[in-house]
Amino acid sequence: MFYLFTRFLVRLALPIFLRRLCVVGQWAVPQRSPVLLASNHPDSFFDAVVVGSILPQPIHTLTRGDVFRKPKVAFWLRQIHLIPVFRGSEGRQYVQNNRDTFDESLQVMQSGEAVLVFPEGLCINEWRLRPLGKGTARMAYQSWYGAGGLTSLAVVPVGLTYEHYRGAGKRVKVCFGESILPHHLTTAPADYEKWLREFNGVLAERISACMLELPAGLTTDEQAQQIDTYFADCPKPAVNALTRLVGSMGRAIHRPLYRYFSQRVAVRTAGTVFYDSVLFGLLLYLYPLLVLLLAFFVGLVAGGVWGIAVFIGLPLLAWAGNRYR
C-alpha cells in the first residue's frame, strides 16, 4: 500500500521537479512476463525513482545493502520495494545474504513483476558507462539455467541520461533497449565464465546504445553542446511571453522554500552522489503537506474558494516554474 501511495506521489511530483521526461522504447518491456531491467547508474536512488515511475508493473530495486543496517530505515526501504544486495568488500557474512536476494528477486519475477539492477555497482555523476560487474550476468544465468527455470525471462537494457545532476529543472531521457534472451548468446552455458563475459559484453553494448557517453577531456562548453545535441529529440518546452511570466512567478514564489531545502541537502550530501535523491525525497513527502497546511489556513482566513485555489495553484506554479524558463 505504501509503495502504491509513493508511486502515485512520484508520478505527480516528477513533472514538477523535472523540466521534461522523455521515454524511448517502452514497448520493449514485457508487461506480463518476467523482466530483469539492467540500467546504468548515474544518479543514485533517483535512477530507480525515474524508471519506476514509467512502467505500469511494480518495480523492485536491488540496492546497496549497507543502507539497510538500521532496522527502522530497513523497514521503510522495504515498503518501497528495495531489496538489499551486498558487495564482497562488506564481508562474507553479508555476501552470503545475496542468496536470499536472488531467491527474493526470482519470486518477484515469477509473479510477473520487474526487478531493476545496476550492473555497474557504483554510482558516479557522469556521462559514461563504467565496467559491469558479474552480478547481473549471474542472475540471468541462474534464472535461465538454474533452479529458477525462468526461460521466458527478458533482460531489458536501460539507459538513463540527465541534463545535469544538481536539483530540479532538468531534462531526463530514459531509453529501453532490445531485450536479451538466451538464444542471443552463442557461448554454451556449460562454459560458465566465458558465458558471463559474453553476456556482459552484449549488455554493455546495448546499455551504451541507450545513453549519452561523453569522452574525457571535454570543456564545459563542449560538454553542454553535446548534451544539447543528444536531447534534440527531447526539446525544451516552447516558451512565449505569457508562459515565461507564469514560470517566473512560479520560481519567485517557490524560491525561498527550494533554497531552504536545497542548501541543507547540499551540506548533508556533500562529497556524495545523493543530492538529487535526498532533495527529491524530502520534497516528495513534505511539499504536499506544506501546500495542504497553507491551503487550510488560507481557507480558514479567506474562505474555502481561496484555500482550494492555493491547493491547486501552488503546484501548478511550481510546475510552470521548472518547465518555462
Side-chain angles (χ1 to χ4, degrees):
M1 181 63 71
F2 185 71
Y3 171 82
L4 295 176
F5 173 69
T6 298
R7 188 167 69 169
F8 171 75
L9 287 181
V10 166
R11 287 175 172 173
L12 291 178
L14 273 181
I16 297 175
F17 189 78
L18 301 177
R19 192 170 193 179
R20 189 167 182 189
L21 174 61
C22 297
V23 181
V24 179
Q26 186 175 344
W27 55 266
V29 183
Q31 299 299 312
R32 293 179 177 83
S33 61
V35 180
L36 180 62
L37 302 165
S39 173
N40 64 316
H41 198 19
D43 205 7
S44 186
F45 294 106
F46 195 59
D47 296 336
V49 170
V50 172
V51 175
S53 72
I54 297 170
L55 300 177
Q57 65 263 56
I59 307 294
H60 300 252
T61 305
L62 267 61
T63 307
R64 50 189 290 181
D66 57 331
V67 300
F68 289 80
R69 290 179 181 173
K70 294 182 179 180
K72 291 182 179 179
V73 174
F75 173 79
W76 288 110
L77 293 179
R78 283 297 197 167
Q79 301 310 302
I80 54 175
H81 290 185
L82 299 187
I83 303 174
V85 62
F86 301 91
R87 293 170 291 185
S89 59
E90 297 177 70
R92 292 186 61 184
Q93 70 274 23
Y94 291 113
V95 175
Q96 291 175 354
N97 292 337
N98 284 341
R99 297 175 184 173
D100 296 332
T101 296
F102 173 73
D103 290 341
E104 182 176 347
S105 301
L106 187 64
Q107 291 175 5
V108 166
M109 292 185 291
Q110 286 173 332
S111 69
E113 299 180 0
V115 171
L116 173 63
V117 296
F118 300 105
E120 294 167 290
L122 296 175
C123 169
I124 306 291
N125 291 157
E126 61 184 7
W127 292 270
R128 72 183 179 98
L129 183 67
R130 290 182 162 264
L132 307 187
K134 293 183 178 180
T136 304
R138 292 192 179 107
M139 285 186 67
Y141 185 94
Q142 293 177 39
S143 298
W144 286 332
Y145 305 113
L150 283 180
T151 56
S152 62
L153 172 69
V155 180
V156 179
V158 184
L160 287 163
T161 302
Y162 295 86
E163 192 172 20
H164 60 76
Y165 296 106
R166 297 296 293 180
K170 56 171 159 271
R171 288 175 290 174
V172 180
K173 186 188 289 188
V174 183
C175 174
F176 297 95
E178 181 186 356
S179 298
I180 302 174
L181 300 172
H183 67 270
H184 292 158
L185 303 176
T186 60
T187 302
D191 196 347
Y192 181 63
E193 290 299 328
K194 184 179 179 181
W195 188 96
L196 295 180
R197 289 193 296 272
E198 183 187 1
F199 179 92
N200 269 1
V202 173
L203 180 59
E205 180 180 344
R206 296 192 183 186
I207 293 177
S208 293
C210 287
M211 58 178 285
L212 172 65
E213 292 195 271
L214 298 180
L218 293 180
T219 66
T220 302
D221 289 341
E222 290 171 337
Q223 180 175 288
Q225 183 178 10
Q226 291 205 24
I227 291 172
D228 280 340
T229 300
Y230 181 79
F231 278 95
D233 60 347
C234 183
K236 298 174 183 177
V239 179
N240 57 38
L242 177 60
T243 57
R244 184 178 290 110
L245 175 62
V246 175
S248 297
M249 290 174 54
R251 289 191 297 277
I253 291 172
H254 286 87
R255 187 171 291 119
L257 177 65
Y258 184 77
R259 283 183 175 175
Y260 176 83
F261 282 110
S262 62
Q263 289 174 357
R264 281 155 181 77
V265 169
V267 172
R268 292 293 184 91
T269 61
T272 74
V273 295
F274 301 121
Y275 178 80
D276 267 3
S277 304
V278 175
L279 178 61
F280 181 78
L282 285 175
L283 293 174
L284 176 69
Y285 294 113
L286 294 181
Y287 180 71
L289 180 61
L290 292 173
V291 170
L292 183 62
L293 289 174
L294 182 59
F296 175 75
F297 285 118
V298 169
L300 286 179
V301 173
V305 173
W306 285 105
I308 294 173
V310 168
F311 182 75
I312 297 175
L314 275 180
L316 287 176
L317 284 171
W319 170 80
N322 274 331
R323 185 173 177 84
Y324 301 116
R325 292 176 175 270

